[in-house]
Amino acid sequence: MSECFSLAIGIGTQNTAGDWLEVYYPQPLLNPEAALIKVISEQLGYSGGNQAIALAGNQCSTLSAALSAAGFTDAAALVASLQGGTRPLVVTVLATDEAPVSTPEAYLKLHLLSHRLVKPHGVVLAGIFPLLPNVAWTNQGAIDINELPQRQLAARLQGQSLNVLSVDKFPCMTDYVVPSGVRIANTARVRLGAYVGEGTTVMHEGFINFNAGTAGTSMVEGRISAGVFVGKGSDLGGGCSTMGTLSGGGNIVISIGEGCLIGANAGIGIPLGDRCTIEAGLYITAGIKVALLDDADNLVEVVKARDLANQTDLLFRRNSQTGSIECKTNKSAIQLNEILHAHN
């Protein structure tokens, strides 16, 4: 067998028509060994390409034994633990990193991100939205929207409580994986597919979308939109925003370098280099005019903010008298709270 991009064994939820609503992969693998793929091929008839293969409960024993014999004890133990369950099982094999074509494939790619096996923009997610059904996420699991009224009625008749926690295409990340070394005050605000680096704290109003996140050691009290990746040691103040490709940024990939500070209620529509600061309440969009100042606060020139993209050591501020947006070098403008980060 040639090299394979990813492999995972999952437990999912289907509606009454047999359509997948979601899939949970406890142990997704990146670049699995060829010998492991060989076992899957022999036992499940995998013949190459990207496939989601249904796994019947009565196949678990045989597959587990074959995996154990080949030396893959972790995978064997996982498969053995699935015996006797009532939920549908699936083995998803991605021979190559291409646009997903099924719900199990889409969920595997979201898992790869949240398990920190790939970073944002490190996996192909083109066309993922149609593959993620809009689901009622409840205390009894994922429920098809069209089947929700019947389930609510059935729960009432049985004296049960059916709480709808959200109605969305994306579930809460922590229902699938809790990365090591993080604090998340409100787990509903971090979607599956977020990459949350070790040392990150997400406060109650912080939000991290899919295919976005932090490299680590960040305090997030603002919004990290889809596609935005935040470097180590950068903090997002309360209510601040980052413009993702889904919210008006077009094809510009917004990122934040290391050691940056986005002030409260501020925002960015350009990528920032390292050690940059955006003053509280100031939103920097790509086309906005910015006055460049020298060390003596003298005007050097006026440029568009996009011309400053990815530059380091910048301080963006608004002149309180004229209202103009100004930019200065920022080598001593910010010192992150090391004590705070040490206890993230």
Side-chain angles (χ1 to χ4, degrees):
M1 273 287 173
S2 59
E3 292 185 1
C4 182
F5 176 68
S6 183
L7 167 70
I9 301 168
I11 310 151
T13 304
Q14 295 174 325
N15 62 14
T16 55
D19 301 320
W20 289 102
L21 299 181
E22 58 85 40
V23 183
Y24 166 57
Y25 297 107
Q27 299 173 12
L29 300 175
L30 186 67
N31 304 130
E33 295 181 40
L36 177 56
I37 301 301
K38 185 174 184 292
V39 174
I40 298 298
S41 301
E42 293 172 347
Q43 297 296 319
L44 302 181
Y46 170 68
S47 57
N50 294 356
Q51 294 187 37
I53 306 168
L55 176 64
N58 56 13
Q59 293 178 291
C60 289
S61 178
T62 303
L63 178 58
S64 178
L67 289 168
S68 181
F72 298 104
T73 55
D74 289 345
L78 172 61
V79 173
S81 69
L82 302 179
Q83 297 181 74
T86 60
R87 306 303 289 270
L89 307 175
V90 63
V91 176
T92 302
V93 186
L94 300 181
T96 55
D97 181 20
E98 299 177 6
V101 297
S102 68
T103 299
E105 290 179 29
Y107 265 82
L108 175 51
K109 294 203 166 187
L110 295 177
H111 276 72
L112 291 176
L113 283 158
S114 290
H115 277 267
R116 299 178 184 154
L117 295 175
V118 296
K119 291 182 178 179
H121 302 288
V123 65
V124 177
L125 297 174
I128 194 173
F129 281 95
L131 303 174
L132 300 175
N134 198 29
V135 169
W137 303 99
T138 78
N139 61 317
Q140 295 184 14
I143 299 177
D144 188 302
I145 293 295
N146 296 321
E147 298 173 2
L148 181 61
Q150 292 178 322
R151 292 285 298 272
Q152 289 174 317
L153 177 59
R156 293 275 181 168
L157 291 173
Q158 296 172 16
Q160 298 177 351
S161 175
L162 179 59
N163 300 322
V164 179
L165 307 175
S166 68
V167 179
D168 195 7
K169 285 178 172 288
F170 292 83
C172 169
M173 181 192 73
T174 54
D175 287 344
Y176 294 79
V177 55
V178 178
S180 61
V182 303
R183 288 196 293 138
I184 303 174
N186 185 348
T187 57
R189 297 182 65 84
V190 180
R191 280 173 148 183
L192 181 65
Y195 182 110
V196 187
E198 188 164 0
T200 297
T201 293
V202 185
M203 295 302 291
H204 296 79
E205 295 304 315
F207 173 81
I208 306 180
N209 211 334
F210 81 104
N211 197 31
T214 60
T217 322
S218 290
M219 177 66 69
V220 181
E221 298 185 87
R223 177 184 179 86
I224 302 179
S225 298
V228 178
F229 196 49
V230 179
K232 291 183 179 180
S234 290
D235 291 347
L236 279 69
C240 78
S241 175
T242 55
M243 187 181 292
T245 55
L246 300 180
S247 57
N251 294 322
I252 300 175
V253 177
I254 306 299
S255 61
I256 298 175
E258 297 184 356
C260 293
L261 173 63
I262 312 299
N265 297 317
I268 59 166
I270 62 169
L272 298 179
D274 296 339
R275 300 175 301 279
C276 291
T277 299
I278 309 293
E279 180 186 80
L282 177 60
Y283 207 117
I284 301 295
T285 56
I288 203 166
K289 296 294 182 65
V290 179
L292 291 181
L293 305 180
D294 61 19
D295 290 342
D297 286 344
N298 296 315
L299 177 64
V300 176
E301 63 177 321
V302 176
V303 300
K304 289 186 177 180
R306 66 168 58 94
D307 297 327
L308 302 173
N310 295 308
Q311 299 300 308
T312 61
D313 298 304
L314 299 180
L315 167 64
F316 292 89
R317 69 188 188 189
R318 187 181 295 278
N319 189 300
S320 61
Q321 293 182 315
T322 66
S324 64
I325 297 173
E326 301 173 341
C327 178
K328 294 190 63 175
T329 58
N330 185 34
K331 293 183 179 179
S332 62
I334 174 175
Q335 292 183 349
L336 295 178
N337 189 328
E338 296 180 359
I339 296 177
L340 177 64
H341 285 166
H343 294 277
N344 276 358

